[in-house]
mmCIF file of all heavy atoms in Angstrom:
data_model
loop_
_atom_site.group_PDB
_atom_site.id
_atom_site.type_symbol
_atom_site.label_atom_id
_atom_site.label_comp_id
_atom_site.label_asym_id
_atom_site.label_seq_id
_atom_site.Cartn_x
_atom_site.Cartn_y
_atom_site.Cartn_z
ATOM 1 N N GLU A 11 151.185 65.980 92.523
ATOM 2 C CA GLU A 11 150.330 64.800 92.557
ATOM 3 C C GLU A 11 148.882 65.147 92.909
ATOM 4 O O GLU A 11 147.956 64.535 92.413
ATOM 5 C CB GLU A 11 150.861 63.782 93.570
ATOM 6 C CG GLU A 11 152.181 63.163 93.164
ATOM 7 C CD GLU A 11 152.762 62.300 94.269
ATOM 8 O OE1 GLU A 11 152.456 62.542 95.460
ATOM 9 O OE2 GLU A 11 153.515 61.387 93.940
ATOM 10 N N VAL A 12 148.722 66.171 93.746
ATOM 11 C CA VAL A 12 147.377 66.581 94.156
ATOM 12 C C VAL A 12 146.687 67.317 93.016
ATOM 13 O O VAL A 12 145.536 67.041 92.689
ATOM 14 C CB VAL A 12 147.433 67.468 95.416
ATOM 15 C CG1 VAL A 12 146.060 68.012 95.766
ATOM 16 C CG2 VAL A 12 148.011 66.683 96.578
ATOM 17 N N LEU A 13 147.404 68.245 92.377
ATOM 18 C CA LEU A 13 146.851 69.005 91.257
ATOM 19 C C LEU A 13 147.436 68.455 89.965
ATOM 20 O O LEU A 13 148.584 68.717 89.637
ATOM 21 C CB LEU A 13 147.186 70.503 91.396
ATOM 22 C CG LEU A 13 146.602 71.207 92.630
ATOM 23 C CD1 LEU A 13 147.148 72.611 92.741
ATOM 24 C CD2 LEU A 13 145.092 71.226 92.545
ATOM 25 N N PRO A 14 146.673 67.672 89.218
ATOM 26 C CA PRO A 14 147.213 67.092 87.992
ATOM 27 C C PRO A 14 147.616 68.163 86.993
ATOM 28 O O PRO A 14 146.971 69.190 86.885
ATOM 29 C CB PRO A 14 146.073 66.230 87.464
ATOM 30 C CG PRO A 14 144.869 66.580 88.246
ATOM 31 C CD PRO A 14 145.292 67.319 89.453
ATOM 32 N N GLY A 15 148.680 67.918 86.277
ATOM 33 C CA GLY A 15 149.164 68.871 85.288
ATOM 34 C C GLY A 15 150.105 69.894 85.879
ATOM 35 O O GLY A 15 150.637 70.738 85.177
ATOM 36 N N GLY A 16 150.298 69.864 87.176
ATOM 37 C CA GLY A 16 151.235 70.780 87.811
ATOM 38 C C GLY A 16 150.743 72.227 87.820
ATOM 39 O O GLY A 16 151.514 73.146 88.021
ATOM 40 N N THR A 17 149.447 72.446 87.600
ATOM 41 C CA THR A 17 148.927 73.813 87.573
ATOM 42 C C THR A 17 148.776 74.322 88.995
ATOM 43 O O THR A 17 148.350 73.592 89.890
ATOM 44 C CB THR A 17 147.561 73.872 86.871
ATOM 45 O OG1 THR A 17 146.675 72.997 87.551
ATOM 46 C CG2 THR A 17 147.674 73.488 85.417
ATOM 47 N N GLN A 18 149.151 75.537 89.163
ATOM 48 C CA GLN A 18 148.985 76.173 90.466
ATOM 49 C C GLN A 18 147.590 76.794 90.536
ATOM 50 O O GLN A 18 147.128 77.427 89.601
ATOM 51 C CB GLN A 18 150.044 77.266 90.663
ATOM 52 C CG GLN A 18 151.439 76.736 90.889
ATOM 53 C CD GLN A 18 151.572 76.117 92.273
ATOM 54 O OE1 GLN A 18 150.913 76.517 93.207
ATOM 55 N NE2 GLN A 18 152.438 75.125 92.369
ATOM 56 N N ARG A 19 146.924 76.579 91.620
ATOM 57 C CA ARG A 19 145.600 77.146 91.806
ATOM 58 C C ARG A 19 145.729 78.404 92.639
ATOM 59 O O ARG A 19 146.344 78.406 93.703
ATOM 60 C CB ARG A 19 144.728 76.133 92.530
ATOM 61 C CG ARG A 19 143.275 76.250 92.173
ATOM 62 C CD ARG A 19 142.525 75.121 92.780
ATOM 63 N NE ARG A 19 142.244 75.471 94.178
ATOM 64 C CZ ARG A 19 141.483 74.750 94.972
ATOM 65 N NH1 ARG A 19 140.983 73.631 94.542
ATOM 66 N NH2 ARG A 19 141.261 75.124 96.205
ATOM 67 N N SER A 20 145.166 79.486 92.149
ATOM 68 C CA SER A 20 145.215 80.715 92.941
ATOM 69 C C SER A 20 143.962 80.787 93.803
ATOM 70 O O SER A 20 142.869 80.466 93.364
ATOM 71 C CB SER A 20 145.302 81.941 92.030
ATOM 72 O OG SER A 20 144.137 82.027 91.237
ATOM 73 N N ILE A 21 144.147 81.188 95.033
ATOM 74 C CA ILE A 21 143.045 81.301 95.981
ATOM 75 C C ILE A 21 142.759 82.779 96.186
ATOM 76 O O ILE A 21 143.663 83.564 96.488
ATOM 77 C CB ILE A 21 143.400 80.626 97.317
ATOM 78 C CG1 ILE A 21 143.671 79.143 97.079
ATOM 79 C CG2 ILE A 21 142.296 80.818 98.343
ATOM 80 C CD1 ILE A 21 144.176 78.417 98.297
ATOM 81 N N ALA A 22 141.495 83.148 96.007
ATOM 82 C CA ALA A 22 141.109 84.550 96.184
ATOM 83 C C ALA A 22 141.235 84.909 97.662
ATOM 84 O O ALA A 22 140.919 84.104 98.533
ATOM 85 C CB ALA A 22 139.681 84.759 95.708
ATOM 86 N N PRO A 23 141.706 86.135 97.949
ATOM 87 C CA PRO A 23 141.805 86.539 99.350
ATOM 88 C C PRO A 23 140.419 86.634 99.969
ATOM 89 O O PRO A 23 139.465 87.059 99.320
ATOM 90 C CB PRO A 23 142.494 87.908 99.284
ATOM 91 C CG PRO A 23 142.259 88.391 97.905
ATOM 92 C CD PRO A 23 142.129 87.173 97.036
ATOM 93 N N ARG A 24 140.330 86.208 101.181
ATOM 94 C CA ARG A 24 139.054 86.238 101.879
ATOM 95 C C ARG A 24 138.767 87.663 102.335
ATOM 96 O O ARG A 24 139.568 88.286 103.023
ATOM 97 C CB ARG A 24 139.106 85.308 103.088
ATOM 98 C CG ARG A 24 137.810 85.307 103.880
ATOM 99 C CD ARG A 24 137.903 84.427 105.060
ATOM 100 N NE ARG A 24 137.867 83.041 104.615
ATOM 101 C CZ ARG A 24 137.951 82.007 105.439
ATOM 102 N NH1 ARG A 24 138.123 82.216 106.714
ATOM 103 N NH2 ARG A 24 137.899 80.779 104.984
ATOM 104 N N GLY A 25 137.627 88.172 101.933
ATOM 105 C CA GLY A 25 137.232 89.517 102.353
ATOM 106 C C GLY A 25 136.657 89.490 103.744
ATOM 107 O O GLY A 25 136.124 88.489 104.197
ATOM 108 N N HIS A 26 136.784 90.585 104.425
ATOM 109 C CA HIS A 26 136.252 90.678 105.775
ATOM 110 C C HIS A 26 134.738 90.817 105.676
ATOM 111 O O HIS A 26 134.243 91.652 104.936
ATOM 112 C CB HIS A 26 136.860 91.892 106.491
ATOM 113 C CG HIS A 26 136.707 91.822 107.969
ATOM 114 N ND1 HIS A 26 135.518 92.092 108.592
ATOM 115 C CD2 HIS A 26 137.583 91.497 108.941
ATOM 116 C CE1 HIS A 26 135.671 91.944 109.899
ATOM 117 N NE2 HIS A 26 136.913 91.587 110.129
ATOM 118 N N PRO A 27 133.956 90.005 106.409
ATOM 119 C CA PRO A 27 132.497 90.069 106.273
ATOM 120 C C PRO A 27 131.898 91.371 106.783
ATOM 121 O O PRO A 27 130.829 91.765 106.373
ATOM 122 C CB PRO A 27 132.000 88.888 107.109
ATOM 123 C CG PRO A 27 133.111 88.598 108.060
ATOM 124 C CD PRO A 27 134.381 89.000 107.357
ATOM 125 N N TYR A 28 132.593 92.065 107.669
ATOM 126 C CA TYR A 28 132.078 93.311 108.218
ATOM 127 C C TYR A 28 132.723 94.485 107.518
ATOM 128 O O TYR A 28 133.935 94.616 107.508
ATOM 129 C CB TYR A 28 132.360 93.384 109.725
ATOM 130 C CG TYR A 28 131.997 94.713 110.326
ATOM 131 C CD1 TYR A 28 130.674 95.044 110.543
ATOM 132 C CD2 TYR A 28 132.974 95.635 110.639
ATOM 133 C CE1 TYR A 28 130.330 96.256 111.084
ATOM 134 C CE2 TYR A 28 132.646 96.861 111.180
ATOM 135 C CZ TYR A 28 131.309 97.163 111.402
ATOM 136 O OH TYR A 28 130.983 98.376 111.928
ATOM 137 N N SER A 29 131.908 95.296 106.906
ATOM 138 C CA SER A 29 132.421 96.484 106.239
ATOM 139 C C SER A 29 131.807 97.710 106.908
ATOM 140 O O SER A 29 130.591 97.864 106.907
ATOM 141 C CB SER A 29 132.057 96.450 104.752
ATOM 142 O OG SER A 29 132.423 97.653 104.147
ATOM 143 N N PRO A 30 132.620 98.610 107.467
ATOM 144 C CA PRO A 30 132.062 99.778 108.152
ATOM 145 C C PRO A 30 131.254 100.679 107.225
ATOM 146 O O PRO A 30 130.327 101.334 107.654
ATOM 147 C CB PRO A 30 133.287 100.525 108.681
ATOM 148 C CG PRO A 30 134.439 99.604 108.536
ATOM 149 C CD PRO A 30 134.057 98.546 107.562
ATOM 150 N N LYS A 31 131.586 100.708 105.933
ATOM 151 C CA LYS A 31 130.858 101.570 105.002
ATOM 152 C C LYS A 31 129.411 101.119 104.843
ATOM 153 O O LYS A 31 128.527 101.942 104.705
ATOM 154 C CB LYS A 31 131.541 101.580 103.634
ATOM 155 C CG LYS A 31 132.831 102.374 103.615
ATOM 156 C CD LYS A 31 133.309 102.541 102.195
ATOM 157 C CE LYS A 31 134.153 101.351 101.815
ATOM 158 N NZ LYS A 31 134.767 101.448 100.507
ATOM 159 N N SER A 32 129.157 99.818 104.860
ATOM 160 C CA SER A 32 127.805 99.321 104.629
ATOM 161 C C SER A 32 126.942 99.371 105.883
ATOM 162 O O SER A 32 125.764 99.105 105.824
ATOM 163 C CB SER A 32 127.859 97.895 104.090
ATOM 164 O OG SER A 32 128.356 97.033 105.088
ATOM 165 N N GLU A 33 127.507 99.710 107.033
ATOM 166 C CA GLU A 33 126.736 99.706 108.275
ATOM 167 C C GLU A 33 125.741 100.861 108.323
ATOM 168 O O GLU A 33 124.633 100.688 108.794
ATOM 169 C CB GLU A 33 127.690 99.778 109.475
ATOM 170 C CG GLU A 33 127.007 99.641 110.812
ATOM 171 C CD GLU A 33 126.262 98.328 110.965
ATOM 172 O OE1 GLU A 33 126.702 97.308 110.412
ATOM 173 O OE2 GLU A 33 125.218 98.319 111.641
ATOM 174 N N THR A 34 126.084 102.014 107.828
ATOM 175 C CA THR A 34 125.178 103.161 107.896
ATOM 176 C C THR A 34 123.906 102.930 107.098
ATOM 177 O O THR A 34 122.825 103.117 107.630
ATOM 178 C CB THR A 34 125.908 104.442 107.433
ATOM 179 O OG1 THR A 34 127.062 104.618 108.246
ATOM 180 C CG2 THR A 34 125.015 105.656 107.578
ATOM 181 N N PRO A 35 123.968 102.501 105.834
ATOM 182 C CA PRO A 35 122.712 102.248 105.122
ATOM 183 C C PRO A 35 121.896 101.139 105.772
ATOM 184 O O PRO A 35 120.687 101.194 105.779
ATOM 185 C CB PRO A 35 123.156 101.832 103.720
ATOM 186 C CG PRO A 35 124.516 102.418 103.565
ATOM 187 C CD PRO A 35 125.104 102.412 104.948
ATOM 188 N N ARG A 36 122.568 100.149 106.334
ATOM 189 C CA ARG A 36 121.835 99.056 106.975
ATOM 190 C C ARG A 36 121.090 99.559 108.197
ATOM 191 O O ARG A 36 119.953 99.165 108.446
ATOM 192 C CB ARG A 36 122.794 97.938 107.350
ATOM 193 C CG ARG A 36 122.079 96.763 107.964
ATOM 194 C CD ARG A 36 123.002 95.621 108.218
ATOM 195 N NE ARG A 36 122.256 94.517 108.769
ATOM 196 C CZ ARG A 36 122.762 93.354 109.023
ATOM 197 N NH1 ARG A 36 124.028 93.122 108.762
ATOM 198 N NH2 ARG A 36 122.036 92.401 109.537
ATOM 199 N N ALA A 37 121.725 100.434 108.973
ATOM 200 C CA ALA A 37 121.075 100.968 110.171
ATOM 201 C C ALA A 37 119.847 101.777 109.783
ATOM 202 O O ALA A 37 118.793 101.638 110.412
ATOM 203 C CB ALA A 37 122.059 101.825 110.965
ATOM 204 N N THR A 38 119.955 102.601 108.756
ATOM 205 C CA THR A 38 118.792 103.389 108.337
ATOM 206 C C THR A 38 117.721 102.476 107.761
ATOM 207 O O THR A 38 116.534 102.709 107.973
ATOM 208 C CB THR A 38 119.187 104.462 107.307
ATOM 209 O OG1 THR A 38 119.816 103.832 106.191
ATOM 210 C CG2 THR A 38 120.122 105.479 107.897
ATOM 211 N N ARG A 39 118.122 101.415 107.063
ATOM 212 C CA ARG A 39 117.149 100.473 106.521
ATOM 213 C C ARG A 39 116.427 99.759 107.657
ATOM 214 O O ARG A 39 115.205 99.590 107.620
ATOM 215 C CB ARG A 39 117.849 99.463 105.613
ATOM 216 C CG ARG A 39 116.901 98.478 104.963
ATOM 217 C CD ARG A 39 117.618 97.536 104.059
ATOM 218 N NE ARG A 39 118.694 96.860 104.796
ATOM 219 C CZ ARG A 39 119.713 96.258 104.241
ATOM 220 N NH1 ARG A 39 119.831 96.209 102.943
ATOM 221 N NH2 ARG A 39 120.633 95.672 104.969
ATOM 222 N N ASP A 40 117.164 99.371 108.703
ATOM 223 C CA ASP A 40 116.543 98.712 109.855
ATOM 224 C C ASP A 40 115.575 99.656 110.564
ATOM 225 O O ASP A 40 114.507 99.239 111.001
ATOM 226 C CB ASP A 40 117.601 98.223 110.834
ATOM 227 C CG ASP A 40 118.365 97.013 110.309
ATOM 228 O OD1 ASP A 40 117.914 96.419 109.311
ATOM 229 O OD2 ASP A 40 119.415 96.686 110.886
ATOM 230 N N GLU A 41 115.953 100.930 110.669
ATOM 231 C CA GLU A 41 115.073 101.905 111.305
ATOM 232 C C GLU A 41 113.795 102.086 110.499
ATOM 233 O O GLU A 41 112.705 102.177 111.069
ATOM 234 C CB GLU A 41 115.786 103.247 111.465
ATOM 235 C CG GLU A 41 116.879 103.227 112.516
ATOM 236 C CD GLU A 41 117.712 104.497 112.516
ATOM 237 O OE1 GLU A 41 117.333 105.467 111.816
ATOM 238 O OE2 GLU A 41 118.743 104.532 113.192
ATOM 239 N N LYS A 42 113.920 102.123 109.168
ATOM 240 C CA LYS A 42 112.731 102.245 108.317
ATOM 241 C C LYS A 42 111.831 101.030 108.472
ATOM 242 O O LYS A 42 110.607 101.157 108.580
ATOM 243 C CB LYS A 42 113.132 102.395 106.852
ATOM 244 C CG LYS A 42 113.678 103.748 106.495
ATOM 245 C CD LYS A 42 114.017 103.800 105.017
ATOM 246 C CE LYS A 42 114.631 105.117 104.638
ATOM 247 N NZ LYS A 42 114.992 105.162 103.221
ATOM 248 N N ARG A 43 112.432 99.839 108.477
ATOM 249 C CA ARG A 43 111.639 98.615 108.640
ATOM 250 C C ARG A 43 110.933 98.606 109.983
ATOM 251 O O ARG A 43 109.767 98.227 110.083
ATOM 252 C CB ARG A 43 112.538 97.388 108.519
ATOM 253 C CG ARG A 43 112.981 97.109 107.102
ATOM 254 C CD ARG A 43 113.808 95.860 107.032
ATOM 255 N NE ARG A 43 113.012 94.708 107.449
ATOM 256 C CZ ARG A 43 113.523 93.577 107.900
ATOM 257 N NH1 ARG A 43 114.813 93.421 108.010
ATOM 258 N NH2 ARG A 43 112.754 92.578 108.245
ATOM 259 N N ARG A 44 111.627 99.034 111.035
ATOM 260 C CA ARG A 44 111.026 99.055 112.368
ATOM 261 C C ARG A 44 109.882 100.059 112.424
ATOM 262 O O ARG A 44 108.812 99.758 112.969
ATOM 263 C CB ARG A 44 112.091 99.400 113.412
ATOM 264 C CG ARG A 44 111.561 99.362 114.838
ATOM 265 C CD ARG A 44 112.662 99.574 115.865
ATOM 266 N NE ARG A 44 113.603 98.471 115.824
ATOM 267 C CZ ARG A 44 114.900 98.596 115.564
ATOM 268 N NH1 ARG A 44 115.416 99.781 115.317
ATOM 269 N NH2 ARG A 44 115.694 97.560 115.563
ATOM 270 N N ALA A 45 110.086 101.245 111.844
ATOM 271 C CA ALA A 45 109.032 102.259 111.848
ATOM 272 C C ALA A 45 107.818 101.779 111.059
ATOM 273 O O ALA A 45 106.670 101.969 111.484
ATOM 274 C CB ALA A 45 109.563 103.573 111.264
ATOM 275 N N GLN A 46 108.061 101.146 109.915
ATOM 276 C CA GLN A 46 106.960 100.627 109.109
ATOM 277 C C GLN A 46 106.221 99.522 109.869
ATOM 278 O O GLN A 46 104.989 99.484 109.879
ATOM 279 C CB GLN A 46 107.493 100.095 107.785
ATOM 280 C CG GLN A 46 106.414 99.656 106.830
ATOM 281 C CD GLN A 46 106.987 99.201 105.501
ATOM 282 O OE1 GLN A 46 108.184 98.921 105.399
ATOM 283 N NE2 GLN A 46 106.157 99.120 104.499
ATOM 284 N N HIS A 47 106.961 98.646 110.511
ATOM 285 C CA HIS A 47 106.346 97.571 111.294
ATOM 286 C C HIS A 47 105.500 98.163 112.425
ATOM 287 O O HIS A 47 104.368 97.697 112.668
ATOM 288 C CB HIS A 47 107.436 96.657 111.857
ATOM 289 C CG HIS A 47 106.918 95.678 112.846
ATOM 290 N ND1 HIS A 47 106.228 94.552 112.483
ATOM 291 C CD2 HIS A 47 106.990 95.654 114.201
ATOM 292 C CE1 HIS A 47 105.893 93.884 113.576
ATOM 293 N NE2 HIS A 47 106.345 94.521 114.619
ATOM 294 N N ASN A 48 106.024 99.172 113.111
ATOM 295 C CA ASN A 48 105.276 99.795 114.200
ATOM 296 C C ASN A 48 103.976 100.409 113.694
ATOM 297 O O ASN A 48 102.938 100.297 114.342
ATOM 298 C CB ASN A 48 106.124 100.859 114.900
ATOM 299 C CG ASN A 48 107.244 100.242 115.708
ATOM 300 O OD1 ASN A 48 107.237 99.051 115.996
ATOM 301 N ND2 ASN A 48 108.228 101.060 116.067
#
Side-chain angles (χ1 to χ4, degrees):
E11 292 173 334
V12 174
L13 297 173
T17 58
Q18 288 288 330
R19 210 173 82 173
S20 63
I21 299 174
R24 179 181 287 179
H26 198 283
Y28 173 75
S29 174
K31 287 190 273 185
S32 67
E33 186 60 33
T34 303
R36 182 175 182 176
T38 57
R39 182 179 55 199
D40 288 347
E41 289 171 9
K42 285 181 183 179
R43 286 183 62 202
R44 183 174 295 120
Q46 185 177 17
H47 170 77
N48 289 344

